[in-house]
Short mmCIF file of all heavy atoms in Angstrom, two decimals:
data_model
loop_
_atom_site.label_atom_id
_atom_site.label_comp_id
_atom_site.label_asym_id
_atom_site.label_seq_id
_atom_site.Cartn_x
_atom_site.Cartn_y
_atom_site.Cartn_z
N CYS I 296 2.47 41.25 14.74
CA CYS I 296 2.37 40.95 13.31
C CYS I 296 3.56 41.58 12.59
O CYS I 296 3.90 42.73 12.84
CB CYS I 296 1.05 41.50 12.76
SG CYS I 296 0.92 41.44 10.96
N CYS I 299 1.94 44.65 10.52
CA CYS I 299 1.29 45.84 11.11
C CYS I 299 1.55 46.00 12.60
O CYS I 299 1.14 47.00 13.19
CB CYS I 299 -0.22 45.80 10.84
SG CYS I 299 -1.08 44.58 11.87
N CYS I 316 -3.73 37.42 12.06
CA CYS I 316 -3.65 38.81 12.47
C CYS I 316 -5.03 39.43 12.27
O CYS I 316 -5.51 39.51 11.13
CB CYS I 316 -2.62 39.57 11.63
SG CYS I 316 -2.70 41.35 11.94
N CYS I 319 -4.79 42.46 9.70
CA CYS I 319 -4.45 42.22 8.28
C CYS I 319 -5.42 41.26 7.57
O CYS I 319 -5.46 41.21 6.35
CB CYS I 319 -3.03 41.64 8.16
SG CYS I 319 -1.74 42.77 8.67
ZN1 ZN X 5 -1.13 42.45 10.78
#
Side-chain angles (χ1 to χ4, degrees):
C296 170
C299 74
C316 171
C319 295

